[in-house]
Amino acid sequence: MPAPPSPRAAGRYAPSPSGDLHLGNLRTAILAWVLARRSGRAFHLRIEDLDRVREGSEQRQLEDLEALGLDWDGEVVRQSERGAAYDEAISQLLTRDQVFECYCTRREILEAPSAPHAPPGAYPGTCRDLTPAQREAGRARMRELRREPALRLRAGVAEWTVRDLWAGEVTGAVDDLVLRRGDGVVAYNLAVVVDDAAAGVDQVARADDLLSSAPRQAYLAHLLGRAEPEYAHVPLAVNADGARLAKRDGAVTLRDRLERGESAADVVGRIGESLGLSGCRTAADVLERWDPAFLPREPWVVQLPA
Ligand code: GLU
């Protein structure tokens, strides 16, 4: 096994506790664990519970990951307990004038004419360079709406390049992304960067619906003086119609499969087969046998007996 890149280098899995993990989530978790372990990295679990929390979901997710044979180092981190670290990162950016208050509603952003070449949905820059009087008016309006202004990053670049294990060099758009939302909740893009850096995560394996967010996250890491991680974005799991796998697709969670008489080993077996390996029974079998060069690059079409 190759030597660890540095003593604290780590991979991680970071589920949102919004319900039970489905087969696609479990596959991504196994791959993140395998990639970390085969390179001698630590592996951390982080619960992304700033939003969309379902009671009891965290505990069930941890039990399911254990049932597949995953283990992790140190305490499980919860984003809901990391407010001080996020505040500190925002202050660091504030002192360098890299943050501005934004008084726009979601609708105003959608309806504003976007800058030439800006990707759809990109922030049009409305509040970036307001005069002090305009800011006062914006704050007064927020008080009427009983909202706080959102805090946005004053991005100094329009795009940034990251390295992905499978996708190679990926250049993507960076806009004036939200750091703290109008409801006071820290934005996912900031939390993920601060948490990964604090845990020594230098390898971010996750589903590829987040590949387009990687450049802005890496840029934010750069601004905060944190090391930019290497990425490993895993294709999504989809149903027979090619749509992203979801609970409504039937018995797609570990617990659903157990209720239908399968074992955790059978579920790992299915995940192994999606990687071209037959006969895997536990995550350790995947660790031993899977070569990351052989990750199918298409979405995993999940077909299950009813
Ligand atoms: N919490 C996110 C999710 O469950 C993953 C974020 C990440 O891995 O960076 O989709």
Side-chain angles (χ1 to χ4, degrees), residues 206-251:
R206 59 187 179 189
D208 69 2
D209 55 337
L210 289 168
L211 177 59
S212 61
S213 297
R216 58 173 71 89
Q217 292 172 4
Y219 173 63
L220 196 48
H222 163 81
L223 284 184
L224 289 166
R226 315 311 208 251
E228 296 171 50
E230 167 189 279
Y231 294 90
H233 286 92
V234 178
L236 287 177
V238 297
N239 66 19
D241 300 327
R244 177 202 282 249
L245 193 68
K247 294 286 154 47
R248 62 178 171 278
D249 290 316

Side-chain angles (χ1 to χ4, degrees), residues 14-277:
S16 305
S18 54
D20 288 346
L21 300 170
H22 62 50
L23 285 171
N25 306 134
L26 296 171
R27 181 187 194 237
T28 301
I30 288 182
L31 294 182
W33 179 84
V34 167
L35 285 172
R37 294 303 191 206
R38 76 192 299 280
S39 56
R41 286 178 168 86
F43 185 69
H44 299 304
L45 261 196
R46 176 172 75 237
I47 304 297
E48 302 213 316
D49 59 350
L50 292 176
D51 254 338
R52 297 184 295 145
V53 174
R54 177 172 298 179
E55 187 67 32
S57 176
E58 171 187 328
Q59 192 51 36
R60 291 165 66 92
Q61 292 184 342
L62 298 183
E63 286 167 13
D64 290 355
L65 295 172
E66 268 176 329
L68 303 186
L70 266 61
D71 62 354
W72 47 89
D73 300 296
E75 300 283 312
V76 172
V77 169
R78 277 176 213 90
Q79 290 190 323
S80 56
E81 295 166 3
R82 304 251 320 130
Y86 307 142
D87 289 346
E88 197 187 307
I90 291 176
S91 321
Q92 192 185 331
L93 296 167
L94 265 170
T95 51
R96 292 189 309 219
D97 196 28
Q98 286 166 333
V99 180
F100 63 89
E101 289 183 354
C102 173
Y103 317 103
C104 298
T105 61
R106 198 180 297 253
R107 182 181 202 149
E108 284 164 345
I109 293 171
L110 285 175
E111 289 175 354
S114 52
H117 314 301
Y123 181 66
T126 321
C127 299
R128 189 178 159 117
D129 296 308
L130 299 182
T131 63
Q134 285 170 319
R135 293 210 178 282
E136 252 336 294
R139 286 186 195 129
R141 191 169 153 229
M142 292 289 100
R143 282 193 292 275
E144 265 167 44
L145 295 172
R146 293 178 190 284
R147 272 185 38 198
E148 292 293 314
L151 297 183
R152 285 185 181 272
L153 177 72
R154 188 185 297 282
V157 297
E159 51 180 38
W160 199 254
T161 301
V162 297
R163 265 211 70 74
D164 184 274
L165 190 57
W166 296 293
E169 289 212 336
V170 176
T171 299
V174 175
D175 69 348
D176 291 342
L177 51 109
V178 172
L179 301 171
R180 189 187 294 286
R181 305 185 327 209
D183 61 5
V185 177
V186 162
Y188 155 71
N189 282 314
L190 177 71
V192 82
V193 168
V194 170
D195 291 341
D196 280 341
V201 168
D202 68 337
Q203 179 187 63
V204 171
R206 59 187 179 189
D208 69 2
D209 55 337
L210 289 168
L211 177 59
S212 61
S213 297
R216 58 173 71 89
Q217 292 172 4
Y219 173 63
L220 196 48
H222 163 81
L223 284 184
L224 289 166
R226 315 311 208 251
E228 296 171 50
E230 167 189 279
Y231 294 90
H233 286 92
V234 178
L236 287 177
V238 297
N239 66 19
D241 300 327
R244 177 202 282 249
L245 193 68
K247 294 286 154 47
R248 62 178 171 278
D249 290 316
V252 295
T253 68
L254 174 62
R255 285 160 204 262
D256 295 336
R257 298 320 302 165
L258 297 179
E259 271 173 28
R260 287 191 172 43
E262 293 183 15
S263 64
D266 294 333
V267 170
V268 176
R270 284 184 193 290
I271 291 171
E273 268 160 35
S274 80
L275 303 167
L277 306 171

